[in-house]
Amino acid sequence: MKKLTLLIAVVAFGSYLYKHTMPQAASAEQPSASSASSYSPEGVITDEIINGDTTLLELPRLAGGNSNYFVTHRASGRVNYSLEYDVTKLHSRWVAFSFDAVTAQDNVSRSDAWGWDPKIPAVYDTSDFFRRSGYSRGHLVASEDRTFSQAANEQTFYYTNMSPQLQTHNAGIWHRLEHRVQEWGRDRAFCDNLYVAKGGTIREGQIEDKRLKGKMVIPRYYWMALLMKKGKKYEGIAFLTEHRKYGKGERIDELTLSIRELEQFTGLDFFYHLPDEVEQTVETSNPHSMTARRLWWRQ
């Protein structure tokens, strides 16, 4: 309970920082003043390397700057997942994908097709960073998230999709969260589409002091933001975990927060392609309300 109270306090402090210092924090993430000035409210980036579809609903707003690569991977004629990769930190800022009637299908097994991402220059290859490091190759897009085709699963083994995770977190609370999200995404009675953004924090103050091989950042927190669509209705929920071992009795429904609170903590702007009024409602929805608990947890 003390650790949960501390995490809530951290989120609250993050909210304070967002309200009082967000303009400075946002510009600090940009490599230069010129890259910050090229960023438009519509998400059109002139200086980030773009190799993907920037119109996808599941995407957080792109950061811009000359150190980020935006990529959309496609498999079997479908969008598989997208990511934004920071080459100064050798870690994705986020990954994003969606479950629908096709991409939610469970057709293939885990491929273990480890390899470097062909859409990111090989000079940034991190495939030899993890051995004997004490950290697991933690999937951001889980292998089990993308089993609608062999090619889709193989792409989840690109090292741009890996984060240095403690195995106790990776195989513990994180795996439990992933499994629950997969259940929601594959339940057509629950949703028509489930849009997912997730990742590990890579902002200053939210990473460990050390880096893998002195180069790759290690997140202190891992998070998920979900947008559910059923008919014309949208609902949202978010999760935040500390990068540590959680007890087996830890309830994942107690790790929830609103999408707006997660935005304030991470500095990211989720689901910004939604109409403003829909985005406002979805992002400020209280995950602890009776309505939310009935929806997400059937309570």
Side-chain angles (χ1 to χ4, degrees), residues 260-278:
R260 182 61 49 80
E261 288 172 321
L262 185 62
E263 286 183 328
Q264 292 166 346
F265 185 74
T266 61
L268 299 171
D269 184 2
F270 299 111
F271 309 123
Y272 72 102
H273 284 308
L274 286 170
D276 288 345
E277 64 277 11
V278 177

Side-chain angles (χ1 to χ4, degrees), residues 169-183:
H169 181 274
N170 187 32
I173 198 71
W174 189 244
H175 178 72
R176 290 176 56 200
L177 279 171
E178 288 176 329
H179 182 67
R180 178 50 66 98
V181 170
Q182 291 153 14
E183 288 181 331

Side-chain angles (χ1 to χ4, degrees), residues 19-74:
K19 292 176 181 177
H20 292 81
T21 67
M22 193 57 197
Q24 293 84 356
S27 61
E29 282 207 29
Q30 309 301 329
S32 66
S34 61
S35 65
S37 64
S38 68
Y39 184 78
S40 80
E42 292 73 34
V44 178
I45 307 299
T46 60
D47 51 323
E48 179 167 349
I49 305 301
I50 303 293
N51 192 1
D53 184 349
T54 60
T55 68
L56 297 169
L57 183 55
E58 62 264 28
L59 303 182
R61 192 183 294 274
L62 301 186
N66 56 19
S67 65
N68 293 305
Y69 282 71
F70 169 69
V71 167
T72 298
H73 288 296
R74 295 176 180 270

Side-chain angles (χ1 to χ4, degrees), residues 50-233:
I50 303 293
N51 192 1
D53 184 349
T54 60
T55 68
L56 297 169
L57 183 55
E58 62 264 28
L59 303 182
R61 192 183 294 274
L62 301 186
N66 56 19
S67 65
N68 293 305
Y69 282 71
F70 169 69
V71 167
T72 298
H73 288 296
R74 295 176 180 270
S76 306
R78 308 285 298 191
V79 169
N80 192 16
Y81 69 92
S82 301
L83 61 89
E84 189 175 33
Y85 194 76
D86 186 326
V87 298
T88 67
K89 299 179 179 180
L90 299 185
H91 197 290
S92 289
R93 298 182 70 246
W94 46 260
V95 299
F97 60 95
S98 67
F99 289 102
D100 58 29
V102 173
T103 59
Q105 293 177 16
D106 189 13
N107 298 326
V108 300
S109 300
R110 179 184 175 99
S111 65
D112 283 310
W114 301 97
W116 182 242
D117 191 328
K119 292 194 174 186
I120 304 292
V123 67
Y124 304 116
D125 190 344
T126 59
S127 57
D128 65 345
F129 279 34
F130 293 85
R131 187 180 297 274
R132 299 187 182 90
S133 69
Y135 291 90
S136 296
R137 297 174 291 187
H139 281 69
L140 295 176
V141 182
S143 168
E144 293 83 357
D145 288 333
R146 306 280 87 177
T147 54
F148 67 91
S149 78
Q150 184 70 17
N153 186 262
E154 289 176 355
Q155 289 175 355
T156 69
F157 287 87
Y158 292 155
Y159 275 86
T160 49
N161 187 43
M162 299 302 138
S163 180
Q165 281 200 59
L166 297 171
Q167 183 60 14
T168 51
H169 181 274
N170 187 32
I173 198 71
W174 189 244
H175 178 72
R176 290 176 56 200
L177 279 171
E178 288 176 329
H179 182 67
R180 178 50 66 98
V181 170
Q182 291 153 14
E183 288 181 331
W184 285 328
R186 292 189 168 111
D187 184 353
R188 297 279 68 80
F190 176 71
C191 67
D192 299 326
N193 301 82
L194 184 65
Y195 302 95
V196 181
K198 58 180 176 174
T201 55
I202 67 171
R203 299 173 79 189
E204 294 303 320
Q206 296 179 350
I207 55 177
E208 299 295 340
D209 293 334
K210 63 179 179 179
R211 295 192 179 200
L212 242 58
K213 297 284 186 178
K215 298 178 180 179
M216 185 181 194
V217 297
I218 302 169
R220 286 184 177 173
Y221 306 92
Y222 286 88
W223 54 267
M224 299 187 188
L226 310 181
L227 175 68
M228 183 271 277
K229 181 178 185 291
K230 182 67 174 176
K232 296 182 179 180
K233 183 179 180 181

